Amino acid sequence: MSKKQESYFWTSYSDLMTSLFFVMLVLFVLACAMLKNKIDEVEKQKEATEKELAKIREIEESIQAIDPKFFEYNSTYKKHILKINVQFQKRSADISDIPDSKQKELIAAGRSISRFLQRSSEDVKYLLVIEGQASNDNYPLNDELSYNRANSLKHLWSQNNIDFGNKCEIIVCGSGKEGVMRSQPDNASNEKNQRFLIHIIPKPGIIERIEKSIDSNN
């Protein structure tokens, strides 16, 4: 190999090594950038998880403040349920059928819910579900009947100026002869299912709002 060829070889070799060095440098920088992004993503997820857990603990602690005189926690269905035993006349949704003493208890329970909501954190929202039920018989209008029973309680609270504010979304529904937590035996002769249930449930959208808040801050 002549000196000219040897010089050309080492020049080419040097250019090749320099090019490889810059390629490796670019790959290294790119890998570092991707690693940093991954670390940032993990940190955001960790922050979101910590905020979610803190919010869940806050909800669990706050919901325990519901007046135990009117509500009890059902661990099977994970809901706070009205303890007042209310029963309508057969195929009736007229709340005046219920004794005055029971109506007064229902009004007191509504005011208790209102006080609970006023004391709760501004960030925590709730669903107040009023669910009407009906006996398991052959009456063709059981769905409408059960809804009207639930709606009658909403009207009773409204007539007595009970306001739940913007912390609580009220859902009125009727499960007819279906649904859960039905009195057994579940048959036509069991009049205990001629009633309504009240459920107080933390609103599920709260975690989603936390995530959106974290995203907007980054």
Side-chain angles (χ1 to χ4, degrees), residues 15-72:
D15 290 342
L16 177 62
M17 291 298 101
T18 302
S19 298
L20 287 174
F21 170 76
F22 280 111
V23 169
M24 294 301 294
L25 180 61
V26 169
L27 290 175
F28 175 75
V29 172
L30 181 60
C32 288
M34 292 176 65
L35 180 61
K36 184 179 183 305
N37 288 338
K38 191 65 177 177
I39 291 173
D40 290 343
E41 182 181 342
V42 170
E43 287 297 322
K44 286 181 182 179
Q45 291 177 350
K46 179 181 177 182
E47 182 183 355
T49 300
E50 290 174 351
K51 286 180 179 267
E52 289 170 5
L53 290 174
K55 185 57 64 178
I56 290 170
R57 284 193 292 269
E58 181 184 349
I59 291 172
E60 289 177 344
E61 291 173 2
S62 69
I63 205 167
Q64 298 305 319
I66 297 176
D67 195 337
K69 178 181 179 181
F70 300 109
F71 295 91
E72 64 182 354

Side-chain angles (χ1 to χ4, degrees), residues 83-102:
K83 292 167 62 174
I84 303 171
N85 184 21
V86 176
Q87 187 174 320
F88 285 86
Q89 296 295 323
K90 189 173 183 178
R91 299 181 180 177
S92 170
D94 188 350
I95 204 163
S96 64
D97 291 345
I98 298 172
D100 288 343
S101 59
K102 292 293 182 183

Side-chain angles (χ1 to χ4, degrees), residues 42-210:
V42 170
E43 287 297 322
K44 286 181 182 179
Q45 291 177 350
K46 179 181 177 182
E47 182 183 355
T49 300
E50 290 174 351
K51 286 180 179 267
E52 289 170 5
L53 290 174
K55 185 57 64 178
I56 290 170
R57 284 193 292 269
E58 181 184 349
I59 291 172
E60 289 177 344
E61 291 173 2
S62 69
I63 205 167
Q64 298 305 319
I66 297 176
D67 195 337
K69 178 181 179 181
F70 300 109
F71 295 91
E72 64 182 354
Y73 184 71
N74 186 297
S75 58
T76 302
Y77 297 100
K78 295 180 171 49
K79 298 176 182 178
H80 278 80
I81 308 297
L82 181 72
K83 292 167 62 174
I84 303 171
N85 184 21
V86 176
Q87 187 174 320
F88 285 86
Q89 296 295 323
K90 189 173 183 178
R91 299 181 180 177
S92 170
D94 188 350
I95 204 163
S96 64
D97 291 345
I98 298 172
D100 288 343
S101 59
K102 292 293 182 183
Q103 291 185 48
K104 290 178 181 178
E105 286 186 67
L106 291 172
I107 294 169
R111 288 177 176 150
S112 173
I113 296 171
S114 180
R115 288 193 299 270
F116 162 74
L117 293 171
Q118 290 172 8
R119 294 192 303 266
S120 65
S121 169
E122 290 292 335
D123 297 331
V124 182
K125 308 293 183 183
Y126 296 89
L127 292 178
L128 175 61
V129 182
I130 309 174
E131 176 195 349
Q133 292 188 331
S135 294
N136 189 6
D137 53 23
N138 295 321
Y139 185 52
L141 300 178
N142 270 331
D143 289 341
E144 293 89 339
L145 176 62
S146 60
Y147 173 82
N148 290 334
R149 285 172 173 168
N151 205 33
S152 66
L153 176 60
K154 184 174 181 293
H155 283 307
L156 178 67
W157 283 340
S158 178
Q159 289 168 0
N160 285 273
N161 301 315
I162 299 174
D163 182 20
F164 300 112
N166 58 5
K167 293 183 184 179
C168 182
E169 180 181 354
I170 301 177
I171 295 179
V172 177
C173 62
S175 57
K177 59 184 181 61
E178 306 296 335
V180 297
M181 300 186 66
R182 293 183 62 81
S183 179
Q184 300 299 321
D186 190 5
N187 53 37
S189 62
N190 191 345
E191 297 180 351
K192 291 183 179 180
N193 286 320
Q194 296 165 190
R195 60 178 181 176
F196 48 69
L197 300 173
I198 299 177
H199 318 285
I200 300 177
I201 310 166
K203 201 170 182 179
I206 194 164
I207 299 302
E208 181 182 351
R209 288 196 299 276
I210 293 173

